[in-house]
Amino acid sequence: MSNSKPVRIAIVGTGLIGPRHAEAVLKDPDAELACIVDPNPVVEAVADRLKCPWYRSVEEMLASPAKPDAAMVCTPNHTHVSLSKELLEGGLHVLCEKPISVDIGSGQELIKCAKARKLKLMIGHHRRFNRYVVTTKKLLPSLGRIIAINGLWTMYKPTEYFDPPTEWRRLDSAGVVFINLIHEIDILHHLFGPIVRVYAEKTVSQRGYLADEGAAITLKFASGIVGTFLLSDAVVSPHSFESGTGENPMIPEVGQDFYRIFGSEGSLSVPDMTMWKYPSSTRSWTEKLDRENLEVPGMGIPFELQMSHFVKVIKGQEEPSCSGIDGLRALAVCEAIKKAMEVSKPVDI
């Protein structure tokens, strides 16, 4: 398509995340909000507010005379593949929210579908654009060889989070592993390379839903790095990506660390960006460590940066930051973690 012509993007699904993506489209000078697709009649008011057409289904949108160039899929996890394939088969490029799918086989089919039609498929792991993640990746070489990492995603989701019309969050396909941990796994892949083995002990269930609530996890990376990760959406805690970075305006920012990275030359905690190193080449536990609090430059809102990147991908100016394969890799690790929680044994990936 012409590089001067705005890319017309549809938003499919208007739960918590859909309207945020719509706002990102509206703020991009190279994009245009084509429409919103959602069967819920109350969405008509959202479309009126955003000044765009509203369609009840993808089929209805594809049959319209003003078919868009691309679509952003923001629907429940178990619908990602079917809707994304319908959009691709209709000739649209797709940015699909994470996870790419709820099982490996259907995710592979989605990737094949995009490849067969020579269309772009990107997965919405937007935190690759977060300024703390970008800065951390740049700082890694200064830590020497990375030996180990420690991560936390611990928060409390209230009862209404699981109530209608979002009762699908009670399903096994929508627990904290697929909804929240998958973001963390993608960041860990982005920073440290592929994870090849996991082990997990699940936390005690407090809600009684099919959806998992958390686990204590060990990770082995192909590079030799080892890690631990503590996950729970049913505890009171300030240690999570959202609370630490303030990325989600609905969640108060407290700035507590959620990653600790340990290297042969230094260590770093994120997002307080505290680096610890010895003042000289002498390294010994008897030496006093220097502490430095590093600045993190502003970069913009990750959703908006991701949308701008998606537009450039469609125009052939950039390669996807998170391809279908990248999304599938994160899903494979999450599947392995869920399996390890069930069998109480390490799982190779």
Side-chain angles (χ1 to χ4, degrees):
M1 65 180 297
S2 169
N3 284 345
S4 61
K5 184 180 178 182
V7 175
R8 302 184 69 252
I9 300 175
I11 301 296
V12 182
T14 53
L16 283 176
I17 212 71
R20 292 184 70 190
H21 286 298
E23 296 288 350
V25 175
L26 289 171
K27 291 180 181 179
D28 195 313
D30 296 316
E32 179 184 324
L33 183 59
C35 61
I36 287 177
V37 181
D38 195 308
N40 192 338
V42 302
V43 174
E44 186 173 11
V46 178
D48 288 342
R49 177 174 62 83
L50 297 171
K51 297 181 173 61
C52 70
W54 163 56
Y55 298 103
R56 294 176 182 270
S57 68
V58 169
E59 182 182 14
E60 183 183 345
M61 177 195 69
L62 293 175
S64 70
K67 189 172 78 171
D69 305 302
M72 174 81 202
V73 176
C74 313
T75 55
N77 295 355
H78 62 280
T79 67
H80 284 182
V81 170
S82 59
L83 287 172
S84 294
K85 286 177 72 174
E86 187 178 1
L87 291 160
L88 289 165
E89 289 163 357
L92 275 61
H93 303 285
V94 171
L95 173 52
C96 178
E97 257 296 351
K98 57 77 194 167
I100 181 175
S101 59
V102 294
D103 63 85
I104 297 297
S106 63
Q108 290 173 326
E109 288 301 315
L110 178 55
I111 293 169
K112 290 177 183 176
C113 181
K115 186 176 181 180
R117 286 156 181 79
K118 298 181 180 180
L119 292 166
K120 305 297 184 182
L121 171 64
M122 215 171 98
I123 308 305
H125 285 288
H126 66 277
R127 290 178 183 169
R128 291 188 178 211
F129 297 92
N130 185 282
R131 65 191 184 111
Y132 293 99
V133 174
V134 173
T135 302
T136 297
K137 192 170 179 66
K138 289 178 180 177
L139 290 171
L140 290 181
S142 65
L143 302 179
R145 182 179 180 183
I146 305 302
I147 305 299
I149 64 100
N150 168 243
L152 291 160
W153 194 94
T154 47
M155 297 186 77
Y156 191 87
K157 293 179 180 175
T159 303
E160 55 266 27
Y161 179 86
F162 303 91
D163 290 343
T166 54
E167 66 272 22
W168 59 271
R169 291 172 177 158
R170 303 177 185 180
L171 302 176
D172 183 54
S173 60
V176 68
V177 172
F178 278 160
I179 287 183
N180 304 106
L181 182 66
I182 196 163
H183 268 311
E184 310 301 328
I185 296 301
D186 180 70
I187 293 172
L188 296 179
H189 278 168
H190 182 56
L191 295 176
F192 308 113
I195 295 166
V196 296
R197 184 184 304 132
V198 299
Y199 176 68
E201 289 282 358
K202 63 183 176 181
T203 59
V204 175
S205 174
Q206 299 182 73
R207 302 187 186 103
Y209 300 147
L210 292 174
D212 49 82
E213 297 179 18
I217 304 161
T218 60
L219 307 165
K220 176 70 179 291
F221 293 78
S223 64
I225 296 171
V226 294
T228 62
F229 207 101
L230 192 60
L231 172 74
S232 176
D233 68 359
V235 296
V236 177
S237 166
H239 300 280
S240 69
F241 192 97
E242 292 88 336
S243 296
T245 65
E247 179 185 274
N248 188 335
M250 295 176 61
I251 298 173
E253 179 179 359
V254 292
Q256 292 297 307
D257 62 317
F258 49 80
Y259 294 155
R260 293 176 183 176
I261 305 166
F262 304 96
S264 59
E265 302 294 333
S267 65
L268 177 70
S269 58
V270 184
D272 57 305
M273 309 312 285
T274 302
M275 184 177 287
W276 296 88
K277 284 191 169 188
Y278 288 114
S280 68
S281 58
T282 302
R283 291 178 295 171
S284 170
W285 62 355
T286 61
E287 295 292 318
K288 184 178 179 180
L289 285 162
D290 280 348
R291 172 178 178 168
E292 182 180 6
N293 292 102
L294 305 171
E295 291 293 323
V296 179
M299 294 182 59
I301 297 172
F303 281 132
E304 295 175 11
L305 295 171
Q306 177 182 247
M307 193 59 68
S308 176
H309 170 66
F310 183 45
V311 169
K312 291 182 175 68
V313 168
I314 291 170
K315 292 186 174 185
Q317 298 169 348
E318 293 180 3
E319 290 299 314
S321 68
C322 188
S323 66
I325 293 293
D326 292 326
L328 198 63
R329 287 192 179 114
L331 177 70
V333 174
C334 287
E335 271 202 349
I337 288 169
K338 287 175 71 69
K339 182 178 179 181
M341 289 163 66
E342 293 170 6
V343 301
S344 297
K345 293 180 180 178
V347 177
D348 291 322
I349 303 161

